[in-house]
Amino acid sequence: IFGMKGHIGDIAWSLCSRVDIFFVNAFVGISGVGCYSLAVSLAEYSWFLSSPLIASTAPIISGATRENAIALTAKASRHVIFISFATVLVILLTVPWLIPVIYGKEYLSSVMPLILLLPGMVFGRAILPNYITGHLGAPHVPTVITLVNAAIYLPLSFFMIKYYGINGAAIASTVFYILQFFLMLIFFLCHTRIRMFEVLVIRWSDLRDYKPITAASDYMIRKYETARRMVCRVSAKGNK
């Protein structure tokens, strides 16, 4: 029963994540499906770095005390949003220029939907369900939120795609992701009584968590430079 309460929400999420493709095919055609599918695939790369953090913190949040679970959820949420925002920014500044180069001018129509999808990608992967489902043991809450959101999204997506094509599909998806996140956030804030910026805004002290990454990068760069110099010396001796 516990699992079924969550699976219903998962099914609704999957439906909302893919139903726009069927609407695009019906109202725009197969060429629109190709361009929109490319935009969605590229936009979802923004979740590549944040998804492992969400998965790895789930068991920790579930088994922690209430105070530690709230603190970890808030901190991890700040990191997820920060990482997603940084990744989205990189995609925004690079990918629209690369689409015609890599895929051809036929896919130029993918650029605008991609840009319209990116704001939603910042909030599309949330860590708050880890606390609600894992720590509180309330999988029905994300399910109810997803069903309410789906009731808004499905007619919105139908209308936007019918009149605005693949750009309308991207706008509707962005509304879905943002609304899903903030409905979860409202529940989390009401339950924990913490302030909103504690979940949304990265702190200066949070950036210290990235020091091991930068240290590892510096180490790899030094090793590369050492290996490069050794190769140069061997090559120079061989030439002599």
Side-chain angles (χ1 to χ4, degrees), residues 2 4-13 126-150 176 179-181 183-185 187-188:
F2 181 89
M4 284 300 298
K5 293 178 181 179
H7 285 315
I8 294 171
D10 293 338
I11 293 170
W13 174 275
I127 204 164
L128 301 180
N130 288 354
Y131 177 85
I132 298 171
T133 300
H135 185 76
L136 292 183
H140 62 280
V141 173
T143 294
V144 170
I145 289 174
T146 303
L147 292 175
V148 171
N149 198 11
F176 173 76
L179 184 59
Q180 181 81 5
F181 175 83
L183 288 174
M184 293 274 192
L185 178 62
F187 177 87
F188 180 75

Side-chain angles (χ1 to χ4, degrees), residues 166-187:
I166 59 177
N167 292 338
I171 294 172
S173 294
T174 293
V175 170
F176 173 76
Y177 289 130
I178 293 176
L179 184 59
Q180 181 81 5
F181 175 83
F182 278 95
L183 288 174
M184 293 274 192
L185 178 62
I186 290 170
F187 177 87

Side-chain angles (χ1 to χ4, degrees), residues 54 66 98 101-102 127 141 145 166 175 187 204 219:
I54 296 172
R66 183 177 186 274
L98 296 175
V101 176
I102 298 174
I127 204 164
V141 173
I145 289 174
I166 59 177
V175 170
F187 177 87
W204 182 256
Y219 174 77

